[in-house]
Amino acid sequence: VQLQASGGGLVQAGASMRLACTMSGFTHFFYGIGWYRQAPGKRREEVSCFSSADNSTYYSDSVKGRFTISRDAAKNTVYLDMNRLKPEDTAVYYCASARYKGGSEYFCLMNVADHWGQGTQVTVSS
């Protein structure tokens, strides 16, 4: 299983950005996939997760209402649309997944993911 994250870059506060995570070698029908981020000097935190078992989504309080996670099953790709970006959103963003049949919140909060992609840097200037 390989995960390839893309779409990071430098934007100004208030702008939008889309991240993509393309999955390959993934044969599991039910899976969970999430976006996580880590800023310098801070612990890694969950951002948003999706579960294919129940099509549920989860968002952390810090991004709720601004970020949207979505899936294009035909392309084996999960997106994270980020709107109204803030400087505090600056971090390296990672996508991660695992075979999984539960809900998205548990997947996110309990660190269920066991396959991780490389990170993509998102920098939001003020």
Side-chain angles (χ1 to χ4, degrees):
V1 175
Q2 289 189 327
L3 303 172
Q4 180 73 38
S6 62
L10 171 64
V11 295
Q12 289 188 329
S16 298
M17 179 183 291
R18 166 174 271 196
L19 303 182
C21 179
T22 302
M23 303 175 284
S24 61
F26 217 97
T27 60
H28 306 306
F29 183 74
F30 294 120
Y31 63 89
I33 187 163
W35 288 96
Y36 304 80
R37 67 187 182 187
Q38 187 165 24
K42 295 186 178 181
R43 70 165 186 87
R44 188 182 67 206
E45 63 174 348
E46 63 282 348
V47 176
S48 180
C49 293
F50 168 80
S51 170
S52 71
D54 61 4
N55 287 316
S56 64
T57 57
Y58 168 83
Y59 300 93
S60 66
D61 288 343
S62 62
V63 307
K64 195 175 298 182
R66 299 188 297 124
F67 290 12
T68 302
I69 190 170
S70 62
R71 174 185 66 156
D72 186 332
K75 295 182 178 179
N76 287 330
T77 300
V78 173
Y79 301 98
L80 184 69
D81 288 299
M82 307 183 292
N83 298 310
R84 303 194 307 277
L85 282 161
K86 304 176 181 180
E88 50 263 45
D89 294 318
T90 295
V92 178
Y93 283 69
Y94 301 88
C95 59
S97 68
R99 181 178 183 176
Y100 181 69
K101 291 185 178 181
S104 56
E105 182 173 359
Y106 187 93
F107 183 89
C108 246
L109 298 181
M110 301 306 292
N111 292 312
V112 178
D114 56 9
H115 296 289
W116 289 80
Q118 91 294 353
T120 185
Q121 176 71 46
V122 173
T123 303
V124 184
S125 63
S126 57

